[in-house]
Amino acid sequence: MKILWMFFCAILLCSPINTLAETNGTVYSGWKYDNSKWFYYGSDGVMRQGWVNDQGKWYFLDSSGAMKTGWLLYKERWYFLDRSGVMQTGWLLQNNQWHYLNHSGAMQTGWIYLNKWYYFNQKGSWIPNTLTDQFTTISDNNQLILVTTNGYNTNKAKIQTFEKIDKVRNGRFYRLINKNLCISRV
């Protein structure tokens, strides 16, 4: 029995689970400010890591349990957490650049339809001169061709083609071709 008790104590001492108990022995839960960082403990007293939903707001806690703020790269997607650590959604103005974060908080890139079409570069910044009132696909084949010039009296144009590749995630268009060419009448 003594060996079993020592084995159990050794497991508890080596356990990576961080818990916090009050001085009266009750388990602490909720937010705790410690050493200039915020940590979150579940109702079981265990320090949380990763995404945490607290009262309908999402927070991200790194591997040490500390709450993150600012831009966060998680599973190849960018998210923005404000000063209080809350994940943001919708339009975000950051460093004089507009970004759009979808309902799950992920930053959007490429062509996104939000009552109108908007184009966001690979860094997620909105490119305002590409805003269009109506974009339609040709023959419902999920492809777009965009020709832009610097004016009417030029034969130099930028030609871009886009294809709607993933219909599941917001039906985003991805740029396939991006060329500067000369155009003429045939």
Side-chain angles (χ1 to χ4, degrees):
M1 183 72 163
K2 186 176 182 180
I3 293 174
L4 184 60
W5 176 252
M6 289 173 48
F7 179 71
F8 178 71
C9 289
I11 289 175
L12 286 178
L13 289 174
C14 296
S15 173
I17 297 174
N18 295 319
T19 60
L20 186 63
E22 296 288 338
T23 55
N24 64 4
T26 61
V27 175
Y28 181 85
S29 66
W31 291 100
K32 175 92 171 145
Y33 191 70
D34 185 27
N35 203 18
S36 301
K37 296 178 183 177
W38 283 100
F39 299 87
Y40 185 81
Y41 294 83
S43 59
D44 56 359
V46 176
M47 182 189 304
R48 299 294 190 242
Q49 298 173 345
W51 289 107
V52 170
N53 187 325
D54 183 38
Q55 299 180 6
K57 296 178 181 177
W58 286 97
Y59 301 84
F60 188 84
L61 310 171
D62 67 16
S63 59
S64 74
M67 181 186 76
K68 301 295 287 181
T69 60
W71 286 106
L72 168 73
L73 180 61
Y74 178 76
K75 293 189 178 181
E76 300 181 22
R77 303 293 302 232
W78 285 99
Y79 299 84
F80 188 80
L81 310 162
D82 69 11
R83 283 190 210 158
S84 61
V86 177
M87 181 192 74
Q88 301 298 292
T89 60
W91 286 98
L92 172 72
L93 180 61
Q94 185 72 19
N95 299 325
N96 295 321
Q97 295 288 313
W98 282 101
H99 305 274
Y100 187 77
L101 311 170
N102 70 12
H103 67 282
S104 69
M107 181 187 73
Q108 301 298 284
T109 59
W111 286 101
I112 305 295
Y113 186 76
L114 306 166
N115 297 323
K116 294 183 178 183
W117 284 101
Y118 295 85
Y119 181 72
F120 298 86
N121 67 15
Q122 290 178 342
K123 294 181 179 180
S125 297
W126 171 47
I127 309 299
N129 293 334
T130 58
L131 172 66
T132 62
D133 291 327
Q134 295 180 16
F135 242 158
T136 57
T137 60
I138 302 168
S139 304
D140 293 326
N141 66 357
N142 295 318
Q143 295 178 338
L144 298 171
I145 299 172
L146 179 63
V147 179
T148 54
T149 66
N150 291 331
Y152 291 105
N153 296 325
T154 181
N155 66 346
K156 295 179 182 175
K158 182 175 212 168
I159 299 175
Q160 300 176 74
T161 64
F162 299 86
E163 184 173 0
K164 190 186 286 188
I165 296 175
D166 66 6
K167 296 177 186 178
V168 177
R169 294 185 314 182
N170 291 334
R172 297 189 316 179
F173 282 87
Y174 293 89
R175 185 168 53 201
L176 300 176
I177 297 174
N178 183 21
K179 298 285 183 183
N180 291 317
L181 301 168
C182 292
I183 56 173
S184 64
R185 266 187 218 174
V186 216

